[in-house]
C-alpha cells in the first residue's frame, strides 16, 4: 500500500476536492471532483429549501402508500403522472372498479381517503388490493401499489404477486435498542434466509432466528448481511430481480417475523445489514414498477438506456425528483421500520458507469473513473446523496459498496470529494484464490502476487476482504472447499476413513487461505453462509433446468453436526479466527507490515496489531528454527495454530514447549528476529507475552 499524500498547498485545493490530500494522482480530475460535489450540494440545498432537508425528504414512505389514521381512516397516495384516472380496488369492495375514484394533484400524485366504519378501517387486514389506472389512450391497467409493504405469491394459481393490505391489530413491540451499531471490527456473515434450512424447501425468518442466529453468534461474527429480503419475483434470482421495494419477502414469513429476527440479532450484539438492490429493477409489469403508469420512463430511463442487456432488467432514472424520493425513502424505511443497521449496495459498478461494466475491464487508469462518457453523473449523485442522508441520520449506519472498478474516493466522505461509503468489497481477492486453485500448481504459487493482491487497496479507504462469497458458491462455479477436495468430499470427509492427500491438502489450505485473507486483506471480513465449514457442493435454486429441485438450495448443517465428519474442524478454526480477532483487533488496526515474501520457501510473514503472522504455503517442506523478523522485542507465544488437531491438523507443534524469545539482530527489515518451527501448509499467529 502506498501513501500518495499530496504536498500541494492548502489554498490550491478547492472545496469538495480534499481527497487530493490523500491521493495526488487525482489532481488532473480536480474539477470533476468539485463538479460532483457541487451537484450534490445543489440537491441538498434544494431539498433543504423545498422539503425541509434531505432527511425529511427520505420520509416519503410516511405519506405515500397506505396509512391508517388514528380514527381508522385510510389515506392512500401514489405517483402516476401519465394516468388520467385512478381507482382503488380490492377484496374490500368486491373489486368494484368505479366506486373509489382518486384525485390527482399538479405533481402527478393520486390520493384518496377512505373513511372508517365507526373507527374500523374499511379495508380488512391481510386482504388484496390494487390501483386501477386509466391511460391517455383509454386503456385501463391494474397495478400493485409501488409503496406496498406486503405482497404474496401463490404459485399454484399464478407466479404474479398480489398486493396485501397489512394492518395487524398487534404491532410488533421492539425489545432491544435500535440504535445502529458500528462494530470496531466488522466480521460479516452473508446469509440467505430461504436456504438456511437443511430441508428441501424455503426456510423461514423464525427458523433462521431459532436455528441460524445462534450458530452465527457462536462462531464470533458480529455482523449479518441478509440477502434476498426485498421482494423478488423469481426465487432463483437470489433476490436481484426486485418487484416490490418496500415489501420484505413473504416467502419466509411475515414482516413481524423479520422484525423479531433483527430484534434477536440485536439482543446478541449483532449488527444487521440489508443487501439493497437499487442498481436495477425487475422488468415485470403486472407486479413490478415497469410501465407502472403506462410509460417506460416513469421510474426508469426510457428506451434502450433504461434496459440492462445482461440482467434483462430496468434501470432507474436517478435524475428524477420522485425517483430520488422513492429510493432514498426506501433506505430510510428499512432503517426505521425494520431497524436494519445499514446496507450493502449491490451492483454499484453497474450504477456508476454508463457502460454498466458490460464488456469493459478496468486497468486502474484514473481516466476510466471520470467523464460523462464513462460515469453516469445522475447515478453518482444518487449514491452520494444516499450515503450523505444515511450518515446524517445516524453516523453509525454502515454502507458497503459492491464495486469491481476500484473507483478512487468511493469510501471517502462527500465533503472531501468522495462518494461516502464506509467500506468497499475486495472483489479481486476471491478471483485470485480461484485462479490459483484452478490454474497454478502449489509449487508455483507466487508469494509476492498473493501479498500484492491482498494489500492492493485504496489508501485510507476501508475494505471488506473475503476468500469467497455467494458468487463463488453459485452453480457454474465452485466453493474453495470444492475446488480443493472435489469428489473426495463425498467419500473421505469422515474421521473413520483414511486422511487422503487431497483431503489433507484441502483442509490445510482452506484454513490458511481464509486466515491470510482475514488478517492481511482489509479492515473487515466476510464469509458466505456455510463456507466457514467447507459446505459441500454448490448453490442452485429451484428452476426449470434442475426440475425445480431444492436439493442444492439449502445448507447441509447435518454434515457439520455429525461429529464423525471433518467439517467440524474447519468450523472450529473459523470460529477461532473470529474470536482471536475480537481479542486482538487486527481488522481495526493499521495495515500490516510485510517483512517476508520468500518464493523458494513459500513463506509469508507480517505484523499487524502487535501480532506476528507466519504462513508456510510450501506443499512439502517444513522448517525448523526458521528465522523471521519482528519489530517489538520480548517473549512471544502462539495464540492461533492452524495445525492443531482440533482444527483437523496434525498437532506437530507443542504449545507448552514453544516459547519464542527475540534476538536483537536486524532481520528482514525488522529490529529483531525469532526462530520458529513452521510445518508445511501451516499458519501461526504469535502474540507478545505481557
Amino acid at each position: 500500500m502506498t501513501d500518495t499524500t499530496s504536498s500541494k498547498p492548502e489554498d490550491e485545493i478547492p472545496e469538495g476536492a480534499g481527497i487530493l490530500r490523500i491521493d495526488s494522482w487525482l489532481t488532473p480530475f480536480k474539477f470533476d471532483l468539485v463538479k460532483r460535489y457541487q451537484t450534490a450540494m445543489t440537491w441538498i440545498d434544494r431539498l433543504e429549501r423545498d422539503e425541509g432537508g434531505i432527511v425529511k425528504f427520505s420520509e416519503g414512505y410516511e405519506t405515500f402508500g397506505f396509512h391508517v389514521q388514528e380514527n381508522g381512516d385510510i389515506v392512500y397516495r401514489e405517483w402516476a403522472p401519465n394516468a388520467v384516472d385512478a381507482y382503488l380496488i380490492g377484496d374490500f369492495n368486491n373489486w368494484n372498479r368505479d366506486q373509489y375514484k382518486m384525485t390527482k394533484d399538479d405533481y402527478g400524485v393520486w390520493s384518496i381517503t377512505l373513511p372508517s366504519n365507526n373507527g374500523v378501517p374499511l379495508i380488512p387486514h391481510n386482504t388484496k388490493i390494487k390501483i386501477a389506472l386509466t391511460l391517455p389512450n383509454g386503456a385501463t391497467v391494474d397495478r400493485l401499489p409501488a409503496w406496498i409493504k406486503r405482497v404474496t405469491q401463490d404459485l399454484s394459481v399464478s407466479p404474479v404477486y398480489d398486493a396485501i393490505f397489512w394492518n395487524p391489530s398487534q404491532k410488533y413491540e421492539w425489545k432491544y435498542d435500535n440504535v445502529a451499531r458500528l462494530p470496531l471490527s466488522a466480521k460479516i456473515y452473508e446469509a440467505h434466509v430461504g436456504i438456511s434450512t437443511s430441508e428441501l424447501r424455503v426456510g423461514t425468518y423464525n427458523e433462521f432466528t431459532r436455528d441460524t442466529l445462534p450458530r452465527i453468534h457462536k462462531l464470533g461474527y458480529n455482523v449479518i448481511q441478509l440477502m434476498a429480503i426485498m421482494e423478488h419475483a423469481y426465487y432463483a434470482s437470489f433476490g436481484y430481480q426486485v418487484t416490490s421495494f418496500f415489501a420484505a419477502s413473504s416467502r419466509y414469513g411475515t414482516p413481524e417475523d423479520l422484525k423479531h429476527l433483527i430484534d434477536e440479532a440485536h439482543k446478541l450484539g449483532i449488527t444487521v445489514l440489508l443487501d439493497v438492490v437499487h442498481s436495477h429493477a425487475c422488468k415485470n409489469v403486472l407486479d413490478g414498477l415497469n410501465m407502472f403508469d403506462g410509460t417506460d420512463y416513469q421510474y426508469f430511463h426510457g428506451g434502450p438506456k433504461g434496459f440492462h442487456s445482461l440482467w434483462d432488467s430496468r434501470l432507474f432514472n436517478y435524475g428524477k425528483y420522485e425517483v430520488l424520493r422513492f429510493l432514498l425513502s426506501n433506505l430510510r424505511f428499512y432503517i426505521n421500520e425494520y431497524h436494519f443497521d445499514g446496507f450493502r449496495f449491490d451492483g454499484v459498478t453497474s450504477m456508476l458507469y454508463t457502460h454498466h461494466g458490460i464488456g469493459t475491464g478496468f486497468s486502474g487508469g484514473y481516466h476510466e473513473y471520470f467523464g460523462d462518457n464513462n460515469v453516469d453523473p445522475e447515478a453518482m449523485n444518487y449514491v452520494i446523496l444516499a450515503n450523505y442522508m444515511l450518515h446524517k441520520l445516524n453516523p453509525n449506519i454502515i454502507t458497503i459498496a459492491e464495486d469491481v472498478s476500484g473507483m478512487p474516493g468511493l469510501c471517502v466522505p462527500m465533503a472531501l470529494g468522495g462518494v461516502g461509503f464506509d467500506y468497499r468489497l475486495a472483489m479481486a481477492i476471491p478471483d485470485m484464490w480461484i485462479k490459483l486453485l484452478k490454474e497454478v500448481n502449489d509449487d508455483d504459487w507466487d508469494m509476492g502476487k498473493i501479498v500484492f493482491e491482498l494489500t492492493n487497496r485504496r489508501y485510507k479507504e476501508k475494505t471488506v476482504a473475503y476468500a469467497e462469497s455467494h458468487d463463488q458458491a453459485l452453480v457454474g462455479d465452485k466453493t474453495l472447499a470444492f475446488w480443493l477436495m472435489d469428489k473426495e468430499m463425498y467419500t473421505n470427509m469422515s474421521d473413520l476413513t483414511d486422511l487422503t492427500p487431497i483431503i489433507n491438502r484441502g483442509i490445510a489450505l482452506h484454513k490458511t487461505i481464509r486466515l491470510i485473507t482475514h488478517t492481511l486483506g482489509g479492515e473487515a471480513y466476510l464469509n458466505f453462509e456455510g463456507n466457514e465449514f467447507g459446505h459441500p457442493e454448490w448453490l442452485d435454486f429451484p428452476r426449470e433446468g434442475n426440475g425445480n429441485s431444492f436439493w442444492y438450495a439449502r445448507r447441509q448443517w447435518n454434515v457439520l453436526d455429525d461429529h464423525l465428519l471433518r467439517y467440524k474442524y474447519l468450523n472450529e478454526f473459523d470460529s477461532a479466527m473470529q474470536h482471536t480477532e475480537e481479542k486482538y483487533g487486527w481488522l481495526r488496526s493499521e495495515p500490516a507490515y510485510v517483512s517476508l515474501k520468500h518464493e523458494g520457501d513459500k513463506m509469508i510473514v507480517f505484523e499487524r496489531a502487535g501480532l506476528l503472522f507466519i504462513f508456510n504455503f510450501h506443499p512439502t517442506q517444513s522448517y525448523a528454527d526458521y528465522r523471521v523478523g519482528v519489530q517489538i522485542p520480548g517473549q512471544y507465544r502462539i495464540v492461533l495454530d492452524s495445525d492443531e488437531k482440533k482444527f483437523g491438523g496434525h498437532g506437530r507443534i507443542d504449545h507448552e514447549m514453544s516459547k519464542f524469545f527475540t534476538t536483537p539482530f536486524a532481520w528482514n527489515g525488522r529490529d529483531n528476529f525469532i526462530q520458529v518451527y513452521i510445518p508445511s501448509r501451516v499458519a501461526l499467529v504469535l502474540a507478545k507475552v505481557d
Side-chain angles (χ1 to χ4, degrees):
M1 182 185 303
T2 303
D3 182 349
T4 56
T5 303
S6 173
S7 59
K8 299 182 76 62
E10 293 288 319
D11 59 0
E12 291 187 28
I13 299 178
E15 185 179 10
I19 190 177
L20 297 180
R21 301 186 187 97
I22 300 172
D23 188 350
S24 61
W25 289 98
L26 286 166
T27 300
F29 308 98
K30 174 171 61 178
F31 295 109
D32 294 89
L33 295 170
V34 171
K35 181 181 178 181
R36 76 186 190 192
Y37 170 77
Q38 290 177 343
T39 298
M41 287 306 303
T42 298
W43 269 95
I44 290 169
D45 292 342
R46 178 184 179 185
L47 295 176
E48 186 69 37
R49 182 187 69 242
D50 297 341
E51 300 280 351
I54 192 170
V55 171
K56 184 68 176 177
F57 183 62
S58 70
E59 296 174 356
Y61 64 91
E62 293 187 350
T63 52
F64 285 86
F66 291 87
H67 298 278
V68 180
Q69 309 302 300
E70 288 186 6
N71 64 357
D73 290 357
I74 298 173
V75 178
Y76 170 48
R77 299 177 79 236
E78 192 75 68
W79 178 58
N82 185 57
V84 296
D85 268 321
Y87 294 85
L88 181 60
I89 59 177
D91 289 338
F92 75 99
N93 73 336
N94 294 315
W95 302 94
N96 185 325
R97 307 183 71 85
D98 302 312
Q99 186 175 7
Y100 292 107
K101 185 175 182 178
M102 303 175 69
T103 58
K104 184 181 183 181
D105 67 14
D106 294 339
Y107 301 99
V109 176
W110 296 88
S111 62
I112 189 172
T113 298
L114 300 181
S116 70
N117 184 6
N118 295 321
V120 178
L122 191 61
I123 306 177
H125 166 63
N126 201 23
T127 58
K128 298 176 184 178
I129 46 176
K130 284 184 179 180
I131 181 173
L133 301 175
T134 303
L135 306 182
N137 63 4
T140 299
V141 295
D142 293 350
R143 298 288 186 255
L144 304 195
W147 299 69
I148 195 70
K149 297 174 184 176
R150 182 161 175 81
V151 295
T152 60
Q153 183 185 51
D154 185 350
L155 289 174
S156 67
V157 177
S158 168
V160 178
Y161 275 91
D162 293 307
I164 302 297
F165 181 75
W166 194 255
N167 183 37
S169 57
Q170 291 294 320
K171 307 299 182 184
Y172 185 82
E173 294 185 9
W174 294 92
K175 301 177 182 64
Y176 305 100
D177 82 85
N178 65 328
V179 177
R181 51 211 71 219
L182 189 65
L184 294 175
S185 299
K187 297 177 284 289
I188 306 167
Y189 196 87
E190 186 182 39
H192 184 291
V193 171
I195 70 166
S196 295
T197 175
S198 293
E199 299 180 24
L200 300 175
R201 56 175 176 80
V202 177
T204 69
Y205 295 124
N206 287 337
E207 289 168 340
F208 188 94
T209 304
R210 183 193 67 204
D211 302 329
T212 309
L213 267 183
R215 292 182 185 271
I216 297 169
H217 182 245
K218 184 178 180 181
L219 281 167
Y221 289 89
N222 55 10
V223 181
I224 297 174
Q225 178 182 300
L226 287 179
M227 307 178 64
I229 295 297
M230 303 165 74
E231 193 59 274
H232 46 291
Y234 187 37
Y235 188 46
S237 74
F238 223 139
Y240 295 125
Q241 291 282 341
V242 176
T243 46
S244 294
F245 283 75
F246 289 83
S249 181
S250 59
R251 287 182 176 87
Y252 322 128
T254 68
E256 289 68 36
D257 295 340
L258 176 57
K259 292 175 182 178
H260 177 59
L261 186 163
I262 295 170
D263 211 8
E264 288 299 307
H266 287 163
K267 175 185 177 182
L268 296 172
I270 296 174
T271 297
V272 187
L273 307 182
L274 174 69
D275 190 3
V276 69
V277 185
H278 283 180
S279 50
H280 64 130
C282 180
K283 70 176 184 180
N284 283 14
V285 173
L286 295 180
D287 53 7
L289 293 179
N290 191 18
M291 304 293 292
F292 187 86
D293 70 350
T295 66
D296 70 344
Y297 53 81
Q298 182 189 357
Y299 284 96
F300 312 107
H301 288 291
K305 186 178 180 181
F307 285 87
H308 196 292
S309 61
L310 199 62
W311 296 342
D312 193 27
S313 54
R314 297 304 315 273
L315 297 173
F316 286 105
N317 183 345
Y318 301 104
K320 275 194 170 184
Y321 198 89
E322 291 302 330
V323 174
L324 280 180
R325 188 199 304 273
F326 182 83
L327 294 175
L328 291 174
S329 297
N330 192 229
L331 299 173
R332 182 75 183 278
F333 171 77
Y334 282 104
I335 294 290
N336 282 21
E337 182 72 14
Y338 285 101
H339 293 195
F340 277 98
D341 301 301
F343 303 94
R344 178 259 200 192
F345 282 74
D346 177 71
V348 170
T349 305
S350 176
M351 296 173 74
L352 293 183
Y353 296 97
T354 56
H355 50 68
H356 309 299
I358 301 173
T360 302
F362 293 92
S363 66
Y366 278 40
H367 66 283
E368 297 171 339
Y369 305 122
F370 296 95
D372 290 350
N373 289 332
N374 291 325
V375 177
D376 183 333
E378 294 171 341
M380 172 65 75
N381 185 58
Y382 166 65
V383 293
I384 291 174
L385 292 180
N387 278 289
Y388 176 83
M389 181 276 290
L390 289 169
H391 292 124
K392 185 175 178 63
L393 178 66
N394 187 330
N396 288 332
I397 288 173
I398 299 172
T399 60
I400 301 173
E402 186 210 28
D403 170 52
V404 73
S405 75
M407 174 175 279
L410 197 65
C411 300
V412 171
M414 182 199 81
L416 299 179
V419 182
F421 286 100
D422 294 303
Y423 295 91
R424 68 197 314 152
L425 292 176
M427 301 183 72
I429 293 176
D431 292 342
M432 174 195 69
W433 290 124
I434 294 296
K435 185 177 178 66
L436 279 175
L437 295 177
K438 285 175 64 174
E439 302 176 6
V440 184
N441 292 328
D442 293 5
D443 289 317
D444 298 324
W445 282 20
D446 188 318
M447 300 296 103
K449 287 184 178 179
I450 291 173
V451 170
F452 174 79
E453 201 60 70
L454 289 169
T455 57
N456 181 28
R457 51 191 186 269
R458 297 283 178 195
Y459 182 65
K460 294 294 184 181
E461 297 193 43
K462 292 189 289 187
T463 297
V464 179
Y466 57 106
E468 55 184 336
S469 70
H470 70 273
D471 289 324
Q472 287 71 42
L474 288 170
V475 63
D477 205 339
K478 292 182 181 180
T479 63
L480 289 182
F482 225 53
W483 278 114
L484 287 163
M485 296 176 279
D486 205 27
K487 62 183 180 182
E488 287 205 15
M489 296 186 77
Y490 297 115
T491 58
N492 289 87
M493 283 299 280
S494 171
D495 277 330
L496 301 180
T497 63
D498 292 336
L499 181 64
T500 66
I502 287 177
I503 297 297
N504 187 37
R505 169 183 178 266
I507 289 177
L509 287 179
H510 193 274
K511 293 179 292 184
T512 53
I513 285 172
R514 300 175 101 73
L515 181 61
I516 197 170
T517 301
H518 202 311
T519 54
L520 190 57
E523 291 70 41
Y525 177 77
L526 178 142
N527 167 74
F528 177 64
E529 181 176 14
N531 287 351
E532 69 275 8
F533 65 84
H535 193 283
E537 301 174 327
W538 51 88
L539 183 60
D540 189 13
F541 287 88
R543 55 189 174 84
E544 187 176 344
N546 65 13
N548 292 311
S549 171
F550 280 89
W551 185 261
Y552 298 109
R554 59 193 179 115
R555 296 289 85 180
Q556 297 183 45
W557 304 110
N558 53 294
V559 302
L560 172 60
D561 296 336
D562 187 337
H563 295 294
L564 290 177
L565 299 181
R566 293 181 168 121
Y567 297 99
K568 64 180 181 289
Y569 301 131
L570 300 178
N571 193 74
E572 190 69 24
F573 182 75
D574 195 88
S575 180
M577 277 199 307
Q578 314 313 326
H579 288 288
T580 305
E581 195 289 326
E582 190 65 27
K583 181 175 181 179
Y584 294 99
W586 59 72
L587 290 173
R588 58 182 178 267
S589 300
E590 289 298 308
Y593 182 93
V594 181
S595 60
L596 180 65
K597 298 168 285 186
H598 198 293
E599 300 303 337
D601 294 345
K602 301 300 177 194
M603 291 286 297
I604 297 173
V605 178
F606 57 89
E607 294 154 84
R608 190 177 186 186
L611 301 176
L612 179 62
F613 299 88
I614 306 167
F615 290 82
N616 179 4
F617 283 102
H618 203 288
T620 58
Q621 293 298 314
S622 299
Y623 304 106
D625 297 326
Y626 197 89
R627 186 174 293 188
V628 298
V630 62
Q631 188 61 27
I632 301 174
Q635 180 183 347
Y636 285 77
R637 63 183 179 87
I638 296 171
V639 294
L640 188 59
D641 170 12
S642 70
D643 197 45
E644 280 197 73
K645 289 188 175 181
K646 66 180 179 180
F647 303 143
H650 300 282
R652 287 167 285 187
I653 301 173
D654 186 340
H655 290 204
E656 293 297 322
M657 299 296 293
S658 296
K659 295 181 175 62
F660 307 96
F661 296 90
T662 59
T663 299
F665 183 85
W667 193 258
N668 290 336
R670 312 309 274 161
D671 290 346
N672 308 277
F673 73 80
I674 61 173
Q675 296 186 157
V676 300
Y677 169 49
I678 179 74
S680 167
R681 291 185 178 133
V682 166
L684 295 177
V685 183
L686 276 59
K688 189 173 179 293
V689 176
D690 294 332

